Amino acid sequence: MSYSKNTKEIKGDASFRKFFRKKNKKFTSIVVFSKKEKLKNLLIYDAINKILNKSKILAPQLHKENYLKNYIEIQDFGNDSIFSILKKNRKNKFLYYKNVIKVLNKVQLIKIRSVINFKNKKYIIPKYSKSILIQEANLFCDWYVKKNLSKSNKNKFSKEFKRIIIKLTSNLELRNNVFVHRDFHVSNLMLVNNQIGLIDSQDALIGNRAY
């Protein structure tokens, strides 16, 4: 993506996305750029945001999209994450956590399971599956084990770990009946005009309330 005087790159997250703050005439917006995994990072992200907004939960609204050029432009929620606020001011900590739990309750009450995306196609939120659980558990080997064991020990451990995970998940009875954000934490909760807004929602699935 080309830079302009009105566009400045800002801190990103662990995804393959890049974020830019764009100054418009009357407001600022966030440009989300993603060449890799752009279906999830752009199209699905906006679809989930639409579902959240339809469910009276604050999420970034779409200003415009250019999927062909790998970006969308969305509402700017600013820099005040609940994490940064708690870091500065610990006096009202209980009040913020109380409001966060209220948002989580609203998230778990979402009944909408599909939406028309900006490509004018129906997006249905997938359900959790045993294969997805196995993929998530295997991240332990991909990230933690990889950095903390020697190559020979890592391979031996990873093989046994994956065998146990497959055995454990084979005995599970999945109850997929609740909207699960999958990245619900204080850095993805933003304070916007005294309301808590939710970002980074592209991985949402229908899963278990305990998540």
Side-chain angles (χ1 to χ4, degrees), residues 3-170:
Y3 291 84
S4 70
K5 288 182 181 178
N6 298 331
T7 308
K8 183 181 178 183
E9 188 167 2
I10 58 175
K11 188 180 176 183
D13 54 20
S15 71
F16 293 108
R17 296 176 293 182
K18 286 186 176 180
F19 298 87
F20 303 84
R21 179 164 278 124
K22 181 180 175 184
K23 286 187 178 180
N24 301 286
K25 287 181 180 179
K26 293 183 179 179
F27 60 93
T28 62
S29 59
I30 297 295
V31 177
V32 185
F33 179 84
S34 182
K35 208 168 183 177
K36 192 173 181 180
E37 294 185 359
K38 71 174 185 175
L39 173 68
K40 179 179 80 168
N41 289 324
L42 303 180
L43 196 64
I44 293 175
Y45 180 42
D46 179 64
I48 296 295
N49 285 340
K50 281 185 171 70
I51 288 172
L52 290 168
N53 280 312
K54 283 174 179 283
S55 305
K56 309 297 182 191
I57 296 164
L58 195 62
Q61 294 184 10
L62 185 72
H63 288 314
K64 67 178 180 182
E65 61 87 11
N66 195 327
Y67 195 68
L68 197 63
K69 292 189 176 179
N70 311 314
Y71 75 87
I72 57 174
E73 189 175 335
I74 61 173
Q75 185 180 0
D76 184 4
F77 273 7
N79 298 313
D80 292 332
S81 68
I82 298 300
F83 173 75
S84 65
I85 291 166
L86 291 174
K87 208 173 176 183
K88 292 175 194 171
N89 181 10
R90 294 181 177 271
K91 289 179 182 177
N92 297 322
K93 188 165 63 173
F94 177 76
L95 180 64
Y96 283 113
Y97 278 118
K98 189 177 177 182
N99 288 331
V100 164
I101 289 168
K102 284 180 182 177
V103 174
L104 182 58
N105 285 337
K106 284 178 75 175
V107 164
Q108 293 187 334
L109 291 172
I110 290 173
K111 299 299 179 191
I112 301 169
R113 296 291 183 259
S114 65
V115 72
I116 302 299
N117 63 30
F118 59 67
K119 287 289 184 184
N120 208 29
K121 292 186 177 177
K122 191 176 186 180
Y123 175 72
I124 301 170
I125 307 173
K127 288 187 174 184
Y128 246 102
S129 65
K130 290 178 182 180
S131 62
I132 291 172
L133 281 173
I134 290 167
Q135 285 171 28
E136 288 187 342
N138 287 342
L139 291 174
F140 179 71
C141 296
D142 298 339
W143 292 95
Y144 185 81
V145 173
K146 187 178 179 180
K147 291 185 178 182
N148 290 279
L149 290 181
S150 65
K151 192 174 180 179
S152 58
N153 287 335
K154 181 198 80 171
N155 292 338
K156 185 179 177 183
F157 177 90
S158 296
K159 190 176 178 181
E160 181 64 8
F161 178 84
K162 290 174 182 180
R163 185 191 68 78
I164 292 167
I165 291 298
I166 289 169
K167 187 177 180 181
L168 288 171
T169 52
S170 67

